Amino acid sequence: MTVIIIESVLFIALLAVVGAFVASALGITPWGRRLRQTANRKRIDKQAELTCPIHGLQHEDDLVRLPTGEPLCPKCYQEAVHGHIS
């Protein structure tokens, strides 16, 4: 019985080691570089979407979603609706 338990523990350890090697290989291979670049592009695109050209960076929770689906800065929305910013 103990042999089966030891064999199971060693198998799980082997899987962990192989997983660690695969994870480290992703950092130095072209595929890993592509994954990092894609993540960077998504982060930059999200930050650009949250940046108003007039009022700068806004919090995602503060943005106003237009019926067309585009996000709008709350200050720009207030100015468009009321004609002035208080």
Side-chain angles (χ1 to χ4, degrees):
M1 182 69 175
T2 58
V3 174
I4 294 172
I5 293 173
I6 292 174
E7 184 179 345
S8 299
V9 169
L10 289 176
F11 180 72
I12 292 170
L14 176 67
L15 289 178
V17 168
V18 169
F21 280 131
V22 168
S24 68
L26 289 179
I28 59 174
T29 62
W31 192 57
R33 185 177 336 119
R34 181 174 298 227
L35 289 175
R36 282 193 315 275
Q37 290 173 348
T38 302
N40 288 341
R41 181 181 46 80
K42 287 180 182 179
R43 181 181 49 82
I44 291 169
D45 287 346
K46 183 170 179 111
Q47 185 176 7
E49 183 178 300
L50 296 177
T51 303
C52 174
I54 299 169
H55 301 107
L57 187 62
Q58 302 291 321
H59 293 285
E60 186 173 10
D61 296 336
D62 295 339
L63 294 178
V64 177
R65 184 75 53 187
L66 297 176
T68 61
E70 297 177 30
L72 185 66
C73 166
K75 294 176 184 176
C76 291
Y77 180 78
Q78 185 179 12
E79 184 176 294
V81 172
H82 300 294
H84 66 307
I85 297 178
S86 55

Coordinates of all heavy atoms in Angstrom, one line a residue:
M1 N 0.8 -1.2 0.0 CA 0.0 0.0 0.0 C 0.9 1.3 0.0 O 0.6 2.2 -0.7 CB -0.9 0.0 1.2 CG -1.8 1.1 1.3 SD -3.1 1.0 0.0 CE -4.1 2.3 0.4
T2 N 1.9 1.2 0.8 CA 2.8 2.4 0.8 C 3.5 2.6 -0.5 O 3.8 3.8 -0.8 CB 3.8 2.3 2.0 OG1 4.6 1.1 1.8 CG2 3.2 2.3 3.3
V3 N 3.8 1.5 -1.2 CA 4.4 1.7 -2.5 C 3.5 2.4 -3.5 O 4.0 3.3 -4.2 CB 4.8 0.3 -3.1 CG1 5.3 0.4 -4.5 CG2 5.8 -0.4 -2.2
I4 N 2.3 2.2 -3.4 CA 1.3 2.9 -4.3 C 1.2 4.4 -4.0 O 1.2 5.2 -4.8 CB -0.1 2.2 -4.2 CG1 0.0 0.8 -4.8 CG2 -1.1 3.0 -5.0 CD1 -1.3 0.0 -4.6
I5 N 1.2 4.7 -2.7 CA 1.2 6.1 -2.3 C 2.5 6.8 -2.7 O 2.4 7.9 -3.2 CB 0.9 6.1 -0.7 CG1 -0.5 5.6 -0.4 CG2 1.1 7.6 -0.2 CD1 -0.7 5.5 1.1
I6 N 3.6 6.2 -2.5 CA 4.9 6.8 -2.8 C 4.9 7.0 -4.3 O 5.4 8.0 -4.8 CB 6.1 5.9 -2.3 CG1 6.1 6.0 -0.8 CG2 7.4 6.4 -2.9 CD1 7.2 5.0 -0.2
E7 N 4.5 6.0 -5.1 CA 4.5 6.1 -6.6 C 3.6 7.3 -7.0 O 3.9 8.0 -7.9 CB 4.0 4.8 -7.2 CG 4.1 4.8 -8.7 CD 3.6 3.5 -9.3 OE1 3.6 2.5 -8.5 OE2 3.4 3.5 -10.5
S8 N 2.4 7.4 -6.4 CA 1.5 8.5 -6.7 C 2.1 9.9 -6.4 O 2.0 10.8 -7.2 CB 0.2 8.4 -5.9 OG -0.4 7.2 -6.2
V9 N 2.8 10.0 -5.2 CA 3.4 11.2 -4.8 C 4.5 11.6 -5.8 O 4.7 12.7 -6.3 CB 4.0 11.2 -3.4 CG1 4.9 12.3 -3.1 CG2 2.8 11.1 -2.4
L10 N 5.3 10.6 -6.2 CA 6.4 10.8 -7.2 C 5.9 11.2 -8.6 O 6.4 12.1 -9.2 CB 7.3 9.6 -7.3 CG 8.2 9.3 -6.1 CD1 9.0 8.0 -6.3 CD2 9.2 10.5 -5.8
F11 N 4.8 10.6 -9.0 CA 4.1 11.0 -10.2 C 3.7 12.4 -10.2 O 3.8 13.2 -11.2 CB 3.0 10.0 -10.6 CG 2.3 10.4 -11.8 CD1 2.9 10.1 -13.1 CD2 1.0 10.9 -11.9 CE1 2.3 10.4 -14.3 CE2 0.4 11.2 -13.1 CZ 1.0 10.9 -14.3
I12 N 3.0 12.9 -9.1 CA 2.6 14.2 -9.0 C 3.7 15.2 -9.0 O 3.7 16.3 -9.6 CB 1.7 14.4 -7.7 CG1 0.4 13.6 -7.9 CG2 1.4 15.9 -7.4 CD1 -0.5 13.5 -6.7
A13 N 4.8 14.8 -8.3 CA 6.0 15.7 -8.3 C 6.6 15.8 -9.7 O 7.1 16.8 -10.1 CB 7.1 15.1 -7.4
L14 N 6.6 14.7 -10.5 CA 7.1 14.7 -11.8 C 6.2 15.6 -12.7 O 6.8 16.4 -13.5 CB 7.1 13.3 -12.4 CG 7.4 13.2 -13.9 CD1 8.9 13.5 -14.1 CD2 7.1 11.8 -14.4
L15 N 4.9 15.6 -12.5 CA 4.1 16.5 -13.3 C 4.4 18.0 -12.9 O 4.3 18.8 -13.8 CB 2.6 16.2 -13.0 CG 2.0 14.9 -13.6 CD1 0.6 14.7 -13.2 CD2 2.2 14.9 -15.1
A16 N 4.6 18.2 -11.6 CA 4.9 19.6 -11.2 C 6.3 20.1 -11.9 O 6.4 21.2 -12.3 CB 5.0 19.7 -9.7
V17 N 7.2 19.2 -11.9 CA 8.5 19.6 -12.5 C 8.4 19.8 -14.0 O 8.9 20.8 -14.5 CB 9.6 18.5 -12.2 CG1 10.8 18.7 -13.1 CG2 9.9 18.4 -10.8
V18 N 7.6 19.0 -14.7 CA 7.4 19.1 -16.1 C 6.7 20.4 -16.4 O 7.0 21.2 -17.3 CB 6.7 17.9 -16.7 CG1 6.2 18.2 -18.1 CG2 7.6 16.7 -16.7
G19 N 5.7 20.7 -15.5 CA 4.9 22.0 -15.7 C 5.8 23.2 -15.4 O 5.7 24.2 -16.1
A20 N 6.7 23.1 -14.5 CA 7.7 24.2 -14.3 C 8.6 24.4 -15.5 O 8.9 25.6 -15.8 CB 8.5 23.9 -13.0
F21 N 9.1 23.3 -16.1 CA 9.9 23.4 -17.2 C 9.2 24.1 -18.4 O 9.7 24.9 -19.1 CB 10.5 22.1 -17.6 CG 11.7 21.7 -16.8 CD1 11.7 20.4 -16.3 CD2 12.7 22.5 -16.6 CE1 12.8 20.0 -15.5 CE2 13.8 22.1 -15.9 CZ 13.9 20.8 -15.3
V22 N 7.9 23.7 -18.6 CA 7.1 24.2 -19.7 C 6.9 25.7 -19.4 O 7.0 26.5 -20.4 CB 5.8 23.5 -19.8 CG1 4.8 24.2 -20.7 CG2 6.0 22.0 -20.3
A23 N 6.6 26.1 -18.2 CA 6.3 27.5 -17.9 C 7.6 28.3 -18.1 O 7.5 29.4 -18.6 CB 5.8 27.6 -16.5
S24 N 8.7 27.8 -17.7 CA 10.0 28.6 -17.9 C 10.3 28.6 -19.4 O 10.9 29.6 -19.9 CB 11.1 28.0 -17.1 OG 11.5 26.7 -17.6
A25 N 10.0 27.6 -20.2 CA 10.3 27.6 -21.6 C 9.5 28.6 -22.3 O 9.9 29.1 -23.4 CB 10.1 26.2 -22.2
L26 N 8.3 28.8 -21.9 CA 7.4 29.8 -22.5 C 8.0 31.2 -22.5 O 7.7 32.0 -23.3 CB 6.0 29.8 -21.9 CG 5.1 28.6 -22.1 CD1 3.8 28.7 -21.4 CD2 4.9 28.4 -23.6
G27 N 8.8 31.5 -21.5 CA 9.4 32.8 -21.3 C 10.5 33.0 -22.3 O 10.8 34.2 -22.6
I28 N 11.1 32.0 -22.9 CA 12.3 32.2 -23.8 C 12.0 31.8 -25.2 O 12.8 32.0 -26.1 CB 13.5 31.5 -23.2 CG1 13.3 30.0 -23.1 CG2 14.0 32.1 -21.9 CD1 14.5 29.1 -22.7
T29 N 10.9 31.2 -25.5 CA 10.5 30.8 -26.8 C 9.8 31.9 -27.6 O 9.2 32.8 -26.9 CB 9.7 29.5 -26.8 OG1 8.5 29.8 -26.1 CG2 10.4 28.4 -26.1
P30 N 9.7 31.8 -28.9 CA 9.0 32.8 -29.6 C 7.5 32.8 -29.2 O 6.8 33.9 -29.2 CB 9.2 32.4 -31.1 CG 10.4 31.6 -31.1 CD 10.5 31.0 -29.8
W31 N 7.0 31.7 -28.9 CA 5.6 31.6 -28.5 C 5.3 32.3 -27.2 O 4.3 33.0 -27.0 CB 5.1 30.1 -28.4 CG 3.7 29.9 -28.2 CD1 2.7 30.4 -29.1 CD2 3.0 29.3 -27.2 NE1 1.5 30.0 -28.6 CE2 1.6 29.3 -27.5 CE3 3.4 28.6 -26.0 CZ2 0.7 28.8 -26.6 CZ3 2.4 28.1 -25.2 CH2 1.1 28.2 -25.5
G32 N 6.2 32.2 -26.3 CA 6.1 32.9 -25.0 C 6.3 34.4 -25.2 O 5.6 35.2 -24.6
R33 N 7.2 34.8 -26.1 CA 7.3 36.2 -26.4 C 6.0 36.8 -27.0 O 5.6 37.9 -26.7 CB 8.5 36.4 -27.4 CG 8.7 37.9 -27.6 CD 10.0 38.2 -28.5 NE 10.9 37.1 -28.6 CZ 11.3 36.4 -29.7 NH1 10.7 36.7 -30.8 NH2 12.2 35.5 -29.6
R34 N 5.4 36.0 -27.9 CA 4.1 36.4 -28.5 C 3.0 36.5 -27.5 O 2.2 37.5 -27.6 CB 3.7 35.4 -29.6 CG 2.4 35.8 -30.3 CD 2.2 34.9 -31.4 NE 3.2 34.9 -32.4 CZ 3.1 35.1 -33.7 NH1 1.8 35.1 -34.2 NH2 4.1 35.1 -34.5
L35 N 3.0 35.6 -26.5 CA 2.0 35.7 -25.5 C 2.2 37.0 -24.6 O 1.2 37.7 -24.3 CB 2.1 34.5 -24.5 CG 1.5 33.2 -25.1 CD1 1.8 32.1 -24.1 CD2 0.1 33.3 -25.5
R36 N 3.4 37.3 -24.3 CA 3.7 38.6 -23.6 C 3.4 39.8 -24.4 O 2.8 40.8 -23.8 CB 5.2 38.6 -23.2 CG 5.5 37.8 -22.0 CD 6.9 38.1 -21.4 NE 8.0 38.2 -22.4 CZ 8.7 37.2 -23.0 NH1 8.4 36.0 -22.6 NH2 9.6 37.5 -23.9
Q37 N 3.7 39.8 -25.7 CA 3.4 40.9 -26.5 C 1.9 41.1 -26.6 O 1.4 42.3 -26.7 CB 4.1 40.8 -27.9 CG 5.5 40.9 -27.8 CD 6.2 40.6 -29.1 OE1 5.6 40.1 -30.0 NE2 7.5 40.9 -29.2
T38 N 1.1 40.0 -26.7 CA -0.3 40.1 -26.8 C -0.9 40.7 -25.5 O -1.8 41.6 -25.6 CB -0.9 38.8 -27.1 OG1 -0.4 38.3 -28.4 CG2 -2.4 38.8 -27.2
A39 N -0.4 40.3 -24.4 CA -0.8 40.8 -23.1 C -0.5 42.3 -23.0 O -1.3 43.1 -22.5 CB -0.2 40.0 -22.0
N40 N 0.7 42.7 -23.4 CA 1.0 44.1 -23.4 C 0.1 44.9 -24.3 O -0.3 46.0 -23.9 CB 2.5 44.3 -23.8 CG 3.5 43.8 -22.8 OD1 3.1 43.6 -21.7 ND2 4.7 43.5 -23.2
R41 N -0.2 44.4 -25.5 CA -1.0 45.1 -26.4 C -2.4 45.3 -25.8 O -3.0 46.4 -25.9 CB -1.2 44.4 -27.7 CG -2.0 45.1 -28.8 CD -2.1 44.4 -30.1 NE -2.4 43.0 -29.9 CZ -3.6 42.4 -29.7 NH1 -4.7 43.2 -29.6 NH2 -3.8 41.1 -29.6
K42 N -3.0 44.3 -25.2 CA -4.3 44.4 -24.6 C -4.3 45.4 -23.4 O -5.2 46.2 -23.3 CB -4.7 43.0 -24.0 CG -5.1 42.1 -25.2 CD -5.6 40.7 -24.6 CE -5.9 39.7 -25.7 NZ -6.3 38.4 -25.2
R43 N -3.2 45.4 -22.6 CA -3.1 46.3 -21.5 C -3.1 47.8 -22.1 O -3.7 48.7 -21.5 CB -1.9 46.0 -20.7 CG -1.7 46.9 -19.5 CD -0.5 46.6 -18.7 NE 0.7 46.4 -19.5 CZ 1.5 47.4 -19.9 NH1 1.2 48.6 -19.6 NH2 2.6 47.2 -20.6
I44 N -2.3 48.0 -23.1 CA -2.1 49.4 -23.7 C -3.4 49.8 -24.3 O -3.8 50.9 -24.2 CB -0.9 49.4 -24.6 CG1 0.4 49.2 -23.9 CG2 -0.9 50.7 -25.5 CD1 1.6 49.0 -24.7
D45 N -4.1 48.9 -25.0 CA -5.4 49.2 -25.7 C -6.4 49.6 -24.6 O -7.2 50.5 -24.8 CB -5.9 48.0 -26.5 CG -5.1 47.9 -27.8 OD1 -4.3 48.8 -28.2 OD2 -5.2 46.8 -28.4
K46 N -6.4 48.8 -23.5 CA -7.4 49.1 -22.5 C -7.1 50.5 -21.8 O -8.0 51.3 -21.6 CB -7.4 48.1 -21.4 CG -8.4 48.3 -20.3 CD -8.5 47.1 -19.4 CE -9.6 47.4 -18.4 NZ -10.7 46.6 -18.5
Q47 N -5.9 50.8 -21.6 CA -5.5 52.1 -21.1 C -5.8 53.2 -22.0 O -6.3 54.3 -21.6 CB -4.0 52.2 -20.7 CG -3.6 53.4 -20.0 CD -2.2 53.4 -19.6 OE1 -1.4 52.5 -19.9 NE2 -1.8 54.4 -18.8
A48 N -5.6 53.0 -23.3 CA -6.0 54.0 -24.3 C -7.5 54.2 -24.4 O -7.9 55.4 -24.6 CB -5.5 53.6 -25.7
E49 N -8.3 53.2 -24.2 CA -9.7 53.3 -24.2 C -10.2 54.1 -23.0 O -11.2 54.8 -23.0 CB -10.3 51.9 -24.2 CG -11.8 51.9 -24.2 CD -12.4 50.5 -24.3 OE1 -12.0 49.7 -25.2 OE2 -13.1 50.1 -23.3
L50 N -9.5 54.1 -21.9 CA -9.9 54.8 -20.7 C -9.3 56.2 -20.6 O -9.6 56.9 -19.7 CB -9.3 54.0 -19.4 CG -9.9 52.6 -19.2 CD1 -9.3 52.0 -18.0 CD2 -11.4 52.7 -19.0
T51 N -8.6 56.6 -21.7 CA -8.0 57.9 -21.7 C -8.8 58.9 -22.5 O -9.0 58.6 -23.7 CB -6.5 57.9 -22.2 OG1 -5.8 57.0 -21.3 CG2 -5.9 59.2 -22.1
C52 N -9.3 59.9 -21.9 CA -10.0 61.0 -22.7 C -9.0 62.0 -23.2 O -8.1 62.4 -22.5 CB -11.0 61.7 -21.7 SG -11.8 63.1 -22.4
P53 N -9.1 62.4 -24.5 CA -8.1 63.3 -25.0 C -8.1 64.7 -24.4 O -7.1 65.4 -24.4 CB -8.5 63.4 -26.5 CG -9.8 62.8 -26.7 CD -10.1 62.0 -25.5
I54 N -9.2 65.0 -23.7 CA -9.3 66.3 -23.1 C -9.0 66.2 -21.6 O -8.2 67.0 -21.0 CB -10.7 66.9 -23.3 CG1 -11.0 67.1 -24.8 CG2 -10.9 68.3 -22.6 CD1 -12.4 67.4 -25.1
H55 N -9.6 65.3 -20.9 CA -9.5 65.2 -19.5 C -8.5 64.1 -18.9 O -8.4 64.0 -17.7 CB -10.9 64.9 -18.9 CG -11.9 66.0 -19.3 ND1 -12.9 65.8 -20.2 CD2 -12.0 67.2 -18.9 CE1 -13.6 66.9 -20.4 NE2 -13.1 67.8 -19.6
G56 N -7.9 63.4 -19.8 CA -6.9 62.4 -19.4 C -7.5 61.1 -19.0 O -8.6 60.7 -19.3
L57 N -6.7 60.3 -18.2 CA -7.1 59.0 -17.8 C -8.3 59.0 -16.8 O -8.3 59.8 -15.9 CB -5.9 58.3 -17.1 CG -6.0 56.8 -16.8 CD1 -6.2 56.0 -18.0 CD2 -4.8 56.4 -16.0
Q58 N -9.2 58.2 -17.1 CA -10.4 58.0 -16.2 C -10.5 56.6 -15.7 O -10.0 55.7 -16.2 CB -11.7 58.3 -17.1 CG -11.7 59.7 -17.8 CD -11.8 60.8 -16.8 OE1 -12.6 60.7 -15.8 NE2 -11.1 61.9 -17.0
H59 N -11.3 56.5 -14.6 CA -11.5 55.2 -14.0 C -12.6 54.5 -14.8 O -13.5 55.1 -15.3 CB -12.0 55.3 -12.5 CG -11.0 55.8 -11.6 ND1 -9.9 55.1 -11.2 CD2 -10.8 57.0 -11.1 CE1 -9.1 55.8 -10.4 NE2 -9.6 57.0 -10.3
E60 N -12.5 53.2 -15.0 CA -13.4 52.4 -15.8 C -14.8 52.5 -15.3 O -15.8 52.6 -16.0 CB -13.0 51.0 -15.9 CG -13.8 50.1 -16.8 CD -13.2 48.7 -17.0 OE1 -12.3 48.4 -16.2 OE2 -13.7 48.0 -17.9
D61 N -15.0 52.6 -13.9 CA -16.3 52.7 -13.3 C -17.0 54.0 -13.6 O -18.2 54.1 -13.5 CB -16.2 52.4 -11.8 CG -15.8 51.0 -11.5 OD1 -15.9 50.1 -12.4 OD2 -15.2 50.8 -10.4
D62 N -16.2 55.1 -13.9 CA -16.8 56.4 -14.1 C -17.2 56.7 -15.5 O -18.0 57.6 -15.7 CB -15.7 57.4 -13.7 CG -15.4 57.4 -12.2 OD1 -16.2 56.9 -11.4 OD2 -14.3 57.9 -11.8
L63 N -16.8 55.8 -16.5 CA -17.1 56.1 -17.9 C -18.6 55.9 -18.1 O -19.3 55.1 -17.4 CB -16.3 55.2 -18.8 CG -14.8 55.4 -18.8 CD1 -14.2 54.4 -19.7 CD2 -14.5 56.8 -19.3
V64 N -19.1 56.7 -19.1 CA -20.5 56.6 -19.5 C -20.5 55.8 -20.8 O -19.8 56.1 -21.7 CB -21.1 58.0 -19.7 CG1 -22.5 57.9 -20.2 CG2 -21.0 58.8 -18.4
R65 N -21.4 54.8 -20.9 CA -21.5 54.0 -22.1 C -22.6 54.5 -23.0 O -23.7 54.6 -22.6 CB -21.8 52.5 -21.7 CG -21.8 51.5 -22.9 CD -20.5 51.1 -23.4 NE -19.6 50.6 -22.5 CZ -18.3 50.3 -22.8 NH1 -17.9 50.5 -24.0 NH2 -17.5 49.9 -21.9
L66 N -22.3 54.9 -24.2 CA -23.2 55.5 -25.1 C -24.1 54.4 -25.7 O -23.7 53.2 -25.7 CB -22.5 56.3 -26.2 CG -21.7 57.5 -25.8 CD1 -21.0 58.1 -26.9 CD2 -22.6 58.5 -25.1
P67 N -25.2 54.7 -26.3 CA -26.0 53.7 -26.9 C -25.3 52.9 -28.1 O -25.6 51.8 -28.4 CB -27.2 54.4 -27.5 CG -27.3 55.6 -26.6 CD -25.9 56.0 -26.3
T68 N -24.3 53.6 -28.7 CA -23.5 52.9 -29.7 C -22.5 52.0 -29.2 O -21.9 51.2 -29.9 CB -22.8 54.0 -30.6 OG1 -21.9 54.7 -29.7 CG2 -23.8 54.9 -31.2
G69 N -22.3 52.0 -27.8 CA -21.4 51.1 -27.2 C -20.0 51.7 -26.9 O -19.2 51.1 -26.3
E70 N -19.8 52.9 -27.3 CA -18.5 53.6 -27.1 C -18.5 54.2 -25.7 O -19.5 54.7 -25.2 CB -18.4 54.8 -28.1 CG -18.3 54.3 -29.5 CD -18.2 55.5 -30.4 OE1 -17.6 56.5 -30.1 OE2 -18.7 55.3 -31.6
P71 N -17.4 54.1 -25.0 CA -17.3 54.7 -23.7 C -17.0 56.2 -23.8 O -16.3 56.7 -24.8 CB -16.1 54.0 -23.0 CG -15.2 53.6 -24.2 CD -16.2 53.3 -25.3
L72 N -17.5 57.0 -22.9 CA -17.3 58.5 -22.9 C -17.0 59.0 -21.5 O -17.5 58.5 -20.5 CB -18.6 59.2 -23.4 CG -18.5 60.7 -23.6 CD1 -17.6 61.0 -24.8 CD2 -19.9 61.2 -24.0
C73 N -16.1 59.9 -21.5 CA -15.6 60.5 -20.2 C -16.9 61.2 -19.5 O -17.7 61.8 -20.2 CB -14.6 61.5 -20.5 SG -14.2 62.7 -19.2
P74 N -17.0 61.1 -18.2 CA -18.2 61.7 -17.6 C -18.2 63.2 -17.7 O -19.3 63.8 -17.8 CB -18.1 61.2 -16.1 CG -16.7 60.8 -15.9 CD -16.2 60.3 -17.3
K75 N -17.1 63.8 -17.7 CA -17.1 65.3 -17.9 C -17.5 65.7 -19.3 O -18.2 66.6 -19.5 CB -15.7 65.8 -17.6 CG -15.3 65.6 -16.1 CD -13.9 66.1 -15.8 CE -13.5 65.8 -14.4 NZ -12.1 66.1 -14.1
C76 N -17.0 64.9 -20.3 CA -17.5 65.2 -21.7 C -18.9 64.9 -21.8 O -19.6 65.7 -22.5 CB -16.7 64.3 -22.7 SG -14.9 64.8 -22.8
Y77 N -19.5 63.9 -21.2 CA -20.9 63.6 -21.3 C -21.7 64.7 -20.6 O -22.7 65.2 -21.2 CB -21.2 62.3 -20.6 CG -22.7 61.9 -20.6 CD1 -23.2 61.4 -21.8 CD2 -23.5 62.1 -19.5 CE1 -24.6 61.1 -21.8 CE2 -24.8 61.7 -19.6 CZ -25.3 61.2 -20.7 OH -26.7 60.9 -20.8
Q78 N -21.3 65.2 -19.5 CA -22.0 66.3 -18.8 C -21.9 67.5 -19.7 O -23.0 68.2 -19.8 CB -21.3 66.5 -17.4 CG -22.1 67.5 -16.6 CD -21.4 67.7 -15.3 OE1 -20.3 67.3 -15.0 NE2 -22.1 68.4 -14.4
E79 N -20.8 67.8 -20.3 CA -20.7 69.0 -21.1 C -21.6 68.9 -22.4 O -22.3 69.8 -22.8 CB -19.3 69.2 -21.6 CG -19.0 70.4 -22.4 CD -17.6 70.6 -22.7 OE1 -16.8 70.8 -21.8 OE2 -17.2 70.5 -23.9
A80 N -21.7 67.7 -22.9 CA -22.5 67.5 -24.1 C -24.0 67.6 -23.8 O -24.8 68.1 -24.6 CB -22.2 66.1 -24.7
V81 N -24.4 67.1 -22.6 CA -25.8 67.1 -22.2 C -26.3 68.4 -21.7 O -27.3 69.0 -22.1 CB -26.1 66.0 -21.2 CG1 -27.5 66.1 -20.6 CG2 -25.9 64.6 -21.8
H82 N -25.5 69.0 -20.8 CA -25.8 70.2 -20.1 C -25.2 71.5 -20.7 O -25.6 72.6 -20.4 CB -25.5 70.2 -18.6 CG -26.2 69.0 -17.9 ND1 -27.6 69.0 -17.8 CD2 -25.7 67.9 -17.4 CE1 -27.9 67.9 -17.1 NE2 -26.8 67.2 -16.9
G83 N -24.2 71.3 -21.5 CA -23.5 72.5 -22.1 C -22.5 73.1 -21.3 O -21.8 74.0 -21.7
H84 N -22.3 72.6 -20.1 CA -21.2 73.2 -19.2 C -20.8 72.2 -18.2 O -21.5 71.2 -18.0 CB -21.7 74.4 -18.5 CG -22.8 74.2 -17.5 ND1 -24.0 73.5 -17.9 CD2 -22.9 74.5 -16.2 CE1 -24.7 73.4 -16.8 NE2 -24.1 73.9 -15.8
I85 N -19.7 72.4 -17.6 CA -19.1 71.5 -16.6 C -19.2 72.3 -15.2 O -18.7 73.4 -15.1 CB -17.7 71.1 -16.8 CG1 -17.6 70.3 -18.1 CG2 -17.2 70.3 -15.7 CD1 -16.2 69.9 -18.5
S86 N -19.9 71.7 -14.3 CA -20.0 72.3 -13.0 C -18.8 72.0 -12.1 O -18.1 71.1 -12.2 CB -21.3 71.9 -12.3 OG -21.4 70.5 -12.1

